[in-house]
Amino acid sequence: MRYEPVVAPKGRAKPPVNKIMTAKEAVSRFIKEDTYLGMSVSAAPAALIWEIVRQRDRIKTLDMTITSQIGMSSVLIGSGLVRKLEMAYNWGGIEGEDKVFRRAVEKGIPRPLEVEEYSNFGAAVRWQAASMGVPFMPVKSMLGSEIPKYNPKIKIIDDPYTNEPVALVPASYPDVAIMHCSRADEIGNVQCIGLYGNTDTLARAAKHVIVSVEEIVPQAEIRRLPNLTTIPYYYVDAIVHAPFGAHWRESSFYYHHDLAYGLDAYRQFATQEGYEAWLDKYVLGTKDWDDYCKLVGYDRLNRLMLSEHKYQKFGEVR
Amino acid sequence: MRYEPVVAPKGRAKPPVNKIMTAKEAVSRFIKEDTYLGMSVSAAPAALIWEIVRQRDRIKTLDMTITSQIGMSSVLIGSGLVRKLEMAYNWGGIEGEDKVFRRAVEKGIPRPLEVEEYSNFGAAVRWQAASMGVPFMPVKSMLGSEIPKYNPKIKIIDDPYTNEPVALVPASYPDVAIMHCSRADEIGNVQCIGLYGNTDTLARAAKHVIVSVEEIVPQAEIRRLPNLTTIPYYYVDAIVHAPFGAHWRESSFYYHHDLAYGLDAYRQFATQEGYEAWLDKYVLGTKDWDDYCKLVGYDRLNRLMLSEHKYQKFGEVR
Amino acid sequence: MSNYAEKYSLPELMAATVAREIQDGELAFIGVGMPLIAATVAKFTNAPNFNMMVEYGAVGPSPRRLPMCVNCAVNNERAYYAGTQREVMGAQQAGFVDVACISGAQIDKFGNLNSSLIGNDYFHPKVRLAGSGGANDLASSAKRTIIMMRQDGRNFVEKLDYLTSPGYLTGPGAREKAGLPGSGPVAVVTTMGVYRFDNETREMFLEKIHPGVDLEKVKAAVKWELAVSPNLTETEPPTEEQVMIMRTLDPLAVYLGNGRATLSGDFDTFMKMFEDSYQPMLDLIKSKGMV
Amino acid sequence: MSNYAEKYSLPELMAATVAREIQDGELAFIGVGMPLIAATVAKFTNAPNFNMMVEYGAVGPSPRRLPMCVNCAVNNERAYYAGTQREVMGAQQAGFVDVACISGAQIDKFGNLNSSLIGNDYFHPKVRLAGSGGANDLASSAKRTIIMMRQDGRNFVEKLDYLTSPGYLTGPGAREKAGLPGSGPVAVVTTMGVYRFDNETREMFLEKIHPGVDLEKVKAAVKWELAVSPNLTETEPPTEEQVMIMRTLDPLAVYLGNGRATLSGDFDTFMKMFEDSYQPMLDLIKSKGMV
């Protein structure tokens, strides 16, 4: 015995330090070439997506993991950044057919896109497995369908307890997760108000987490309502203050989905030229999110907010 | 083909009807002989436990599933109702050594108690598996220990993705779950404020759910704060209004743990005679929870509430 | 009371038909679009105590405006619960959901659906579609599903290009053998009629035909030998009240017509639709004694 | 600054020793009792940016009174997060917890712990104990664990009656082979001294001995051939500030003395302890510039 004591490695917890930075800083620091990127859908992290596209010459290539995306992922796909998409659904929702996605898969324009498919729940529990540090999760979805036939990562086993078939999906640990949430304090305690899909478990699964928020609040406000904390600080690397940061999509209790804008954008996305004209104007043509908001118009954004607040404002009766 | 259309069975959802009833009604209706009973620890469902003991001549025998219990389960064990205990921990916590538990396991007094052991997390994810309708959950706890050696329900397999060992625990579907929570509306939407352990997942795992609450609130109050809903109505069978319903234990944001009472009760539990004297006075000697509260003294309970509110009141800065 | 509407659109007929499939007190997993209109009609007519689950984490909303997507903010307006997708998906997998509405681009005689791609090579599809989304989860675990589809003459096929969401798979016993918790589809409501599944063979048969639709046209639009109920009847039209509710919720026919086309780029019309929805919806809710 | 206290109790020495094991910025999984006192001392002295997780669902509380149990309401007082046990247990299993404090009734030379039963027949124990609770989870998944134990002369054993919580199991490589995510114990703080684990053999050795404790007595209290560090030193005493903090948080020595005995049945004394805790704790918090 050398009497040299065991020294343990540190845990993965991010320290409780000030994490407020710009989207530009956060994307530059954490998103690299070949990053495996996870993205939330409720709310859509538009401000962060726009910044990623602005830095596409440096980033070059991303592999992505989503459950479902409604429109926003196509901004990344059309930009030529996405090589692979692990997904359950990628389409326009009410905005309709996603021509950007179709062009990439069918014609390899602007680059070929590999697709790895799951059901929504199947995709979500992959993040849940990672959030718990277990290698897989069992699920009863996808059995009998052709989804496992084209996705060897899905293993169908006989449950050792009941001998009935059950599907296993492997844990997904994104290198970086981007998400848009309601509010956070400066050390990264995040509170999501309204529905938030799988944003909570995505944050727990990823190695690095960038959160854009509508509001930054004091720690005392978080401590006042600890049951509302959706993502504790130790998961979070960066807090980006981006009011209206989900536009053209909605942000529950803050503003409504701008369907008129979304439909018009999708009309332009029908051709790659149309998509690029939109991108040049709204993304590459703006230096940051505030600049984009000015271009869209704060009067317009404010009207979306007032309309939402006419119907719901958190903690109030409307 | 007979042209007789397929008719599907109904789902497990409990309808949104008025579910308010007394503890006596709820226990009479749902808890039978040989019921497999799940119980929350945060908060302890004392008002419901007391009522179960009052009906012990009818109920006779219970098998129980808990994660950890701090004191309260011994009220059931000492009463002679419990045949089997699936558990991670059963002791007095700060009240100290649990002589009731020791007597049952070591000497079979008042009846032999079979113990099936897990770690806390291992026990909790059994309910989580049931809540998701999957037959098991993988967990990294209990590996290398002797817990699986004496519990064949824990299966250690090689993970098909990494080939590393992982433990599987089977889903636990209690016949009935009892729990004490903060507030609920009349159809059974339940909101837990403060820490609540595994109360949420226990409610989702059980076939029938009885919830005692500090306060009954209007549906409009639930709708005002939908993110605080811990247990949606479709899991719940009965809502029992039981203010101070966790005494001698605490109810977060409502009142503090009555340690002076707990220590004194544990002193009496040191002998079976002492336990029975306590039971005769405080449980069998009171006809319902209000009667118990009167015996303990509403002045005492009120002081526990004021002390808690001096330090924390939900949604307020203290 | 069946005070039928004199004038109604085909989408309104379909929505009314689906509304009648929902029973009081049930818990339903509803996507937006036509199923949402149908669910709202049911809530205000035949099923006041039924509640809706929405995929991205809402239960029992009572909105006063039209939701736009499954993750739309409107879905948690005055909801009983707002939070995660795993809450509603987990509850469904555990057997708590009575009924779910789904759709697809192709369907076969066992009610299996394809919403992933058109073409016979998965890796080089002729047309790439959205993918499963939640459809596979709903088809796998909801106690019963109701399928809503456009019938374009080509999409009721002998063999799917890809099986995204399970119906009865290859027939009787196949779902059980696969380990699926839910019991499968009970109805297919299309632009032409209403189909059921035979309890013995699990095959689709035509139960109702929409007013003015020719049976031969229906048969021609189905690529297998379609079984037709000996008691084939005409689909019950929507009532005046059902139509009134639909037009109150969706005044610009965003889901029930070509409202989307007119709204593209027209922010003022779009916003006005929302801003003006509060009072008529509130009146409707109050007229039903709801909160 | 090391302005040592002149008078302190053995529990105060142990708590101060554990406090020094916690580093600034860390996330720690803390049970109540002595570990909680140690964690509070660390927070107010050497580790202001460390935060505590409490088993039943609280993170980063800033209480102004003494918690009573792992599910005590005090644990979510002014916390960053309050909710489920699975949040903190899941985070720990996923590798987010730097350090956890555990205990047991028996320990062996590899730091394996028994908190389940005494006796050689699992089904007929001589003495039944509490069971694992969270101890096995912490020992399995926390990046490192610190063990706090009373040394009664009989509980440092050659062979455990039952292995509840894994230390290094049978020695080097055994944890990895078993599939355990955490890396195991780094210190054992007892009523007699402080032990470490040798990096090569994973065996416990005595590193520090408490003031006034005789080495032969320590060896006699360990049932295996105890390895003693060639650089054996005396345990550093608590500072005046450390002791002041402990006595402010636990004025009746509920955890650091026989406070429990005096409180049994004495409601007024118990309540007064709580009611009077607010101001001194607030002053302490403010004196450290904390909120």
Side-chain angles (χ1 to χ4, degrees):
Chain A
M1 187 183 295
R2 298 216 187 91
Y3 299 98
E4 287 168 2
V6 169
V7 178
K10 286 281 185 181
R12 296 169 59 194
K14 318 293 166 49
V17 298
N18 188 323
K19 294 166 184 170
I20 298 171
M21 60 186 83
T22 63
K24 190 173 184 174
E25 290 173 284
V27 170
S28 317
R29 190 178 306 180
F30 297 105
I31 300 181
K32 319 271 179 220
E33 184 171 2
D34 298 335
T35 286
Y36 177 44
L37 183 71
M39 189 159 109
S40 69
V41 58
S42 304
L48 300 174
I49 292 167
W50 274 218
E51 184 54 36
I52 288 168
V53 174
R54 290 189 195 103
Q55 298 188 31
R56 70 175 162 182
D57 294 347
R58 177 183 64 83
I59 298 168
K60 295 185 182 67
T61 295
L62 297 171
D63 296 325
M64 292 189 60
T65 170
I66 60 174
T67 55
S68 292
Q69 270 297 331
I70 300 174
M72 292 280 176
S73 45
S74 295
V75 175
L76 285 169
I77 292 165
S79 78
L81 274 166
V82 187
R83 173 176 50 199
K84 183 181 178 187
L85 182 65
E86 300 175 1
M87 59 161 252
Y89 175 102
N90 192 74
W91 210 244
I94 188 169
E95 276 94 355
E97 182 180 12
D98 189 330
K99 287 266 178 57
V100 176
F101 180 52
R102 284 194 58 188
R103 277 195 299 273
V105 176
E106 295 168 21
K107 302 196 174 65
I109 297 171
R111 79 187 278 177
L113 178 66
E114 182 190 344
V115 174
E116 178 183 295
E117 295 188 73
Y118 300 87
S119 70
N120 255 352
F121 194 49
V125 295
R126 293 185 66 204
W127 292 338
Q128 189 177 4
S131 77
M132 295 170 65
V134 290
F136 59 81
M137 284 284 283
V139 63
K140 301 289 278 179
S141 294
M142 302 180 289
L143 296 167
S145 79
E146 288 190 299
I147 297 175
K149 179 177 170 186
Y150 295 102
N151 183 348
K153 283 193 191 168
I154 303 165
K155 295 179 190 287
I156 295 169
I157 65 160
D158 287 334
D159 157 39
Y161 294 95
T162 64
N163 285 314
E164 286 176 16
V166 62
L168 305 184
V169 291
S172 165
Y173 291 89
D175 295 321
V176 182
I178 58 171
M179 57 198 64
H180 185 69
C181 302
S182 305
R183 49 192 227 159
D185 65 19
E186 75 283 2
I187 66 170
N189 290 301
V190 178
Q191 299 186 326
C192 295
I193 300 168
L195 53 79
Y196 48 86
N198 296 296
T199 303
D200 58 326
T201 197
L202 171 59
R204 286 156 173 76
K207 293 167 190 152
H208 296 289
V209 175
I210 306 172
V211 184
S212 63
V213 293
E214 296 292 338
E215 298 182 89
I216 291 178
V217 297
Q219 276 192 39
E221 174 62 11
I222 299 291
R223 291 188 186 278
R224 186 176 71 85
L225 296 162
N227 285 95
L228 286 181
T229 301
T230 318
I231 309 168
Y233 76 89
Y234 44 86
Y235 293 112
V236 177
D237 293 89
I239 296 293
V240 173
H241 189 205
F244 299 107
H247 183 268
W248 75 86
R249 299 293 314 189
E250 66 289 317
S251 183
S252 278
F253 292 91
Y254 288 89
Y255 45 88
H256 196 280
H257 175 187
D258 187 347
L259 181 63
Y261 183 104
L263 287 168
D264 191 50
Y266 259 54
R267 189 183 48 71
Q268 298 171 65
F269 292 2
T271 65
Q272 183 66 14
E273 298 64 36
Y275 161 84
E276 275 162 19
W278 174 87
L279 196 76
D280 289 340
K281 179 178 179 186
Y282 286 102
V283 180
L284 303 176
T286 56
K287 68 176 199 303
D288 57 23
W289 190 251
D290 177 57
D291 209 23
Y292 169 80
C293 290
K294 286 184 180 125
L295 185 59
V296 170
Y298 275 106
D299 53 346
R300 179 186 184 115
L301 297 171
N302 192 55
R303 191 170 171 189
L304 288 162
M305 183 185 73
L306 291 175
S307 167
E308 177 75 359
H309 286 171
K310 178 174 182 175
Y311 291 88
Q312 58 183 355
K313 199 165 184 199
F314 192 72
E316 296 185 18
V317 174
R318 291 284 151 131
Chain B
M1 186 183 295
R2 297 214 188 91
Y3 299 97
E4 287 166 3
V6 168
V7 178
K10 286 281 184 181
R12 295 170 58 194
K14 317 293 166 50
V17 296
N18 188 323
K19 294 166 183 171
I20 298 172
M21 60 185 83
T22 64
K24 190 172 184 175
E25 289 174 287
V27 170
S28 315
R29 191 178 306 179
F30 297 105
I31 301 182
K32 321 270 179 219
E33 183 170 1
D34 297 335
T35 285
Y36 177 45
L37 183 71
M39 189 158 107
S40 69
V41 58
S42 302
L48 299 176
I49 292 167
W50 276 216
E51 183 55 34
I52 288 168
V53 174
R54 289 190 196 104
Q55 297 188 32
R56 70 176 162 180
D57 294 347
R58 177 183 64 81
I59 297 168
K60 296 186 182 65
T61 295
L62 297 171
D63 296 325
M64 292 188 61
T65 170
I66 61 174
T67 56
S68 292
Q69 269 298 330
I70 300 174
M72 291 282 174
S73 45
S74 295
V75 175
L76 284 170
I77 292 165
S79 78
L81 274 166
V82 187
R83 172 176 54 198
K84 183 181 179 187
L85 182 64
E86 301 174 2
M87 60 159 250
Y89 175 101
N90 191 74
W91 210 244
I94 188 170
E95 275 95 353
E97 182 180 12
D98 190 330
K99 288 268 179 55
V100 176
F101 180 53
R102 284 194 58 188
R103 277 194 299 274
V105 176
E106 296 167 20
K107 303 198 174 64
I109 296 171
R111 77 187 278 175
L113 178 66
E114 182 190 346
V115 174
E116 179 182 295
E117 293 187 75
Y118 299 87
S119 71
N120 256 352
F121 194 47
V125 295
R126 294 185 65 204
W127 293 338
Q128 189 177 5
S131 77
M132 296 170 65
V134 291
F136 59 81
M137 284 284 284
V139 63
K140 301 290 279 181
S141 294
M142 302 180 288
L143 296 167
S145 78
E146 288 190 298
I147 297 174
K149 179 176 169 186
Y150 295 102
N151 183 349
K153 283 192 192 168
I154 302 165
K155 295 178 190 288
I156 295 169
I157 65 160
D158 287 335
D159 158 38
Y161 295 94
T162 64
N163 285 315
E164 286 176 16
V166 62
L168 304 184
V169 291
S172 164
Y173 291 89
D175 294 322
V176 183
I178 57 172
M179 56 198 64
H180 185 70
C181 302
S182 305
R183 50 191 225 159
D185 64 19
E186 75 283 1
I187 66 169
N189 290 300
V190 178
Q191 299 185 327
C192 295
I193 299 169
L195 54 77
Y196 48 86
N198 296 296
T199 303
D200 59 327
T201 196
L202 171 59
R204 285 157 173 77
K207 294 170 191 150
H208 296 288
V209 175
I210 305 172
V211 185
S212 63
V213 293
E214 296 294 338
E215 297 182 89
I216 291 178
V217 298
Q219 275 191 39
E221 174 63 12
I222 299 291
R223 292 190 187 276
R224 187 176 70 85
L225 297 162
N227 285 94
L228 286 181
T229 300
T230 317
I231 309 169
Y233 75 88
Y234 43 85
Y235 293 112
V236 177
D237 293 272
I239 296 293
V240 173
H241 189 207
F244 300 107
H247 182 267
W248 73 86
R249 298 293 314 190
E250 66 290 317
S251 183
S252 277
F253 291 91
Y254 287 89
Y255 46 88
H256 196 280
H257 174 187
D258 188 346
L259 180 63
Y261 182 104
L263 287 168
D264 191 50
Y266 258 54
R267 188 183 48 70
Q268 298 172 65
F269 292 3
T271 65
Q272 183 66 14
E273 299 63 37
Y275 162 84
E276 275 164 19
W278 174 87
L279 196 77
D280 289 340
K281 179 178 178 185
Y282 286 102
V283 180
L284 303 176
T286 57
K287 67 176 198 301
D288 57 24
W289 190 251
D290 177 58
D291 208 23
Y292 170 81
C293 290
K294 286 183 181 127
L295 184 59
V296 170
Y298 275 105
D299 54 344
R300 180 185 183 117
L301 297 170
N302 191 54
R303 191 170 171 189
L304 288 162
M305 184 185 74
L306 292 174
S307 167
E308 176 75 0
H309 287 170
K310 179 174 182 176
Y311 291 88
Q312 60 184 355
K313 197 163 185 200
F314 193 73
E316 296 184 18
V317 174
R318 290 284 152 127
Chain C
M1 68 104 215
S2 52
N3 187 355
Y4 293 122
E6 286 177 10
K7 298 185 92 181
Y8 58 84
S9 68
L10 181 55
E12 286 169 342
L13 174 66
M14 292 171 73
T17 304
V18 170
R20 293 180 175 123
E21 293 286 317
I22 296 169
Q23 292 157 34
D24 199 22
E26 291 195 318
L27 185 62
F29 207 115
I30 301 292
V32 288
M34 240 195 274
L36 178 98
I37 305 289
T40 305
V41 168
K43 180 90 179 158
F44 287 129
T45 54
N46 54 297
N49 298 305
F50 119 87
N51 281 299
M52 199 183 304
M53 278 181 154
V54 185
E55 187 161 352
Y56 273 78
V59 175
S62 179
R64 293 156 176 169
R65 50 189 171 152
L66 185 65
M68 297 277 111
C69 272
V70 290
N71 55 343
C72 177
V74 176
N75 293 317
N76 56 247
E77 185 182 324
R78 302 166 62 252
Y80 288 138
Y81 165 88
T84 73
Q85 182 232 35
R86 297 182 316 291
E87 163 58 29
V88 293
M89 282 288 187
Q92 175 174 256
Q93 192 170 253
F96 284 86
V97 173
D98 296 297
V99 55
C101 292
I102 55 178
S103 188
Q106 292 180 328
I107 189 167
D108 68 17
K109 69 178 177 184
F110 289 119
N112 302 304
L113 291 166
N114 170 19
S115 57
S116 301
L117 58 126
I118 302 299
N120 44 34
D121 179 354
Y122 175 80
F123 298 100
H124 304 88
K126 243 198 248 77
V127 181
R128 174 68 222 196
L129 303 172
S132 160
N136 172 275
D137 303 303
L138 277 58
S140 298
S141 295
K143 284 296 170 184
R144 72 181 192 275
T145 56
I146 297 163
I147 298 165
M148 284 185 100
M149 280 179 77
R150 198 169 41 82
Q151 248 182 302
D152 64 11
R154 289 171 286 98
N155 62 347
F156 274 53
V157 300
E158 190 64 52
K159 188 181 181 326
L160 300 174
D161 291 349
Y162 181 90
L163 199 169
T164 310
S165 304
Y168 294 105
L169 299 173
T170 56
R175 285 184 65 95
E176 296 74 5
K177 189 157 171 297
L180 293 166
S183 61
V186 296
V188 184
V189 177
T190 77
T191 43
M192 291 181 151
V194 180
Y195 305 78
R196 300 279 173 191
F197 293 87
D198 179 66
N199 195 39
E200 190 179 31
T201 64
R202 303 280 152 159
E203 263 190 55
M204 199 188 298
F205 67 87
L206 183 68
E207 182 201 40
K208 295 194 179 101
I209 188 162
H210 293 335
V213 175
D214 169 29
L215 178 57
E216 291 316 307
K217 280 223 173 62
V218 179
K219 287 180 174 169
V222 175
K223 296 298 175 211
W224 65 85
E225 189 56 48
L226 176 65
V228 178
S229 169
N231 331 313
L232 180 68
T233 57
E234 201 171 70
T235 313
E236 183 182 3
T239 64
E240 284 180 355
E241 183 181 37
Q242 287 177 318
V243 171
M244 175 276 288
I245 292 163
M246 293 187 219
R247 294 176 186 175
T248 305
L249 180 64
D250 187 11
L252 300 185
V254 169
Y255 294 123
L256 298 173
N258 64 345
R260 265 172 278 198
T262 64
L263 285 176
S264 177
D266 186 348
F267 185 66
D268 286 328
T269 308
F270 171 69
M271 289 308 291
K272 208 169 167 324
M273 172 179 95
F274 278 101
E275 290 155 355
D276 296 350
S277 174
Y278 188 96
Q279 199 55 49
M281 282 300 294
L282 183 58
D283 295 342
L284 177 59
I285 290 163
K286 286 187 170 162
S287 74
K288 297 295 178 177
M290 297 178 178
V291 287
Chain D
M1 70 106 209
S2 53
N3 188 355
Y4 294 122
E6 288 176 10
K7 298 185 90 179
Y8 57 86
S9 68
L10 180 56
E12 287 170 343
L13 175 67
M14 292 171 72
T17 304
V18 170
R20 293 177 175 128
E21 293 286 318
I22 296 170
Q23 291 157 35
D24 200 21
E26 289 194 321
L27 186 61
F29 208 114
I30 300 292
V32 290
M34 241 196 270
L36 179 99
I37 305 289
T40 305
V41 168
K43 180 90 180 161
F44 287 128
T45 55
N46 54 298
N49 298 304
F50 118 88
N51 281 300
M52 200 183 302
M53 277 182 156
V54 185
E55 187 161 351
Y56 274 80
V59 175
S62 179
R64 294 158 175 169
R65 49 188 171 151
L66 185 65
M68 297 278 110
C69 271
V70 289
N71 55 343
C72 178
V74 177
N75 293 315
N76 55 247
E77 184 181 326
R78 301 168 61 252
Y80 288 138
Y81 165 87
T84 73
Q85 181 232 36
R86 296 181 317 291
E87 162 58 30
V88 293
M89 282 288 186
Q92 175 174 256
Q93 192 170 256
F96 284 87
V97 173
D98 296 298
V99 55
C101 292
I102 55 179
S103 189
Q106 292 180 327
I107 189 168
D108 67 18
K109 69 179 177 184
F110 290 119
N112 303 304
L113 292 165
N114 169 19
S115 57
S116 301
L117 57 125
I118 301 301
N120 44 32
D121 179 353
Y122 175 81
F123 298 101
H124 304 88
K126 244 200 244 73
V127 180
R128 174 68 222 195
L129 302 173
S132 161
N136 172 276
D137 303 303
L138 277 59
S140 298
S141 295
K143 284 297 170 184
R144 72 181 193 274
T145 57
I146 298 164
I147 298 165
M148 283 185 100
M149 279 178 78
R150 201 167 40 82
Q151 251 185 296
D152 63 11
R154 289 170 287 100
N155 62 347
F156 275 52
V157 300
E158 192 64 53
K159 188 180 180 330
L160 300 174
D161 291 348
Y162 181 89
L163 200 168
T164 310
S165 304
Y168 294 106
L169 299 173
T170 56
R175 285 184 65 94
E176 296 73 5
K177 190 158 170 298
L180 292 166
S183 62
V186 296
V188 184
V189 177
T190 77
T191 43
M192 290 181 152
V194 179
Y195 304 79
R196 299 279 174 193
F197 292 87
D198 180 67
N199 195 37
E200 191 179 29
T201 64
R202 305 280 151 158
E203 267 190 50
M204 201 188 294
F205 67 87
L206 184 68
E207 181 200 43
K208 297 196 180 99
I209 189 163
H210 292 335
V213 175
D214 169 29
L215 179 57
E216 292 315 308
K217 280 226 171 64
V218 179
K219 286 180 173 169
V222 175
K223 296 298 174 216
W224 65 86
E225 189 56 48
L226 177 64
V228 178
S229 169
N231 327 311
L232 181 69
T233 58
E234 202 173 67
T235 312
E236 184 182 2
T239 64
E240 286 179 352
E241 184 181 36
Q242 287 177 319
V243 170
M244 175 276 288
I245 292 163
M246 295 185 218
R247 294 176 186 175
T248 305
L249 180 65
D250 187 11
L252 300 185
V254 169
Y255 293 124
L256 298 173
N258 63 345
R260 263 170 279 197
T262 63
L263 285 177
S264 176
D266 187 347
F267 185 67
D268 286 329
T269 308
F270 171 69
M271 289 309 291
K272 206 168 168 328
M273 173 179 96
F274 278 102
E275 289 153 358
D276 296 352
S277 176
Y278 189 98
Q279 201 53 49
M281 283 300 295
L282 183 58
D283 295 343
L284 177 60
I285 290 164
K286 286 186 170 163
S287 73
K288 296 297 180 175
M290 296 177 178
V291 287

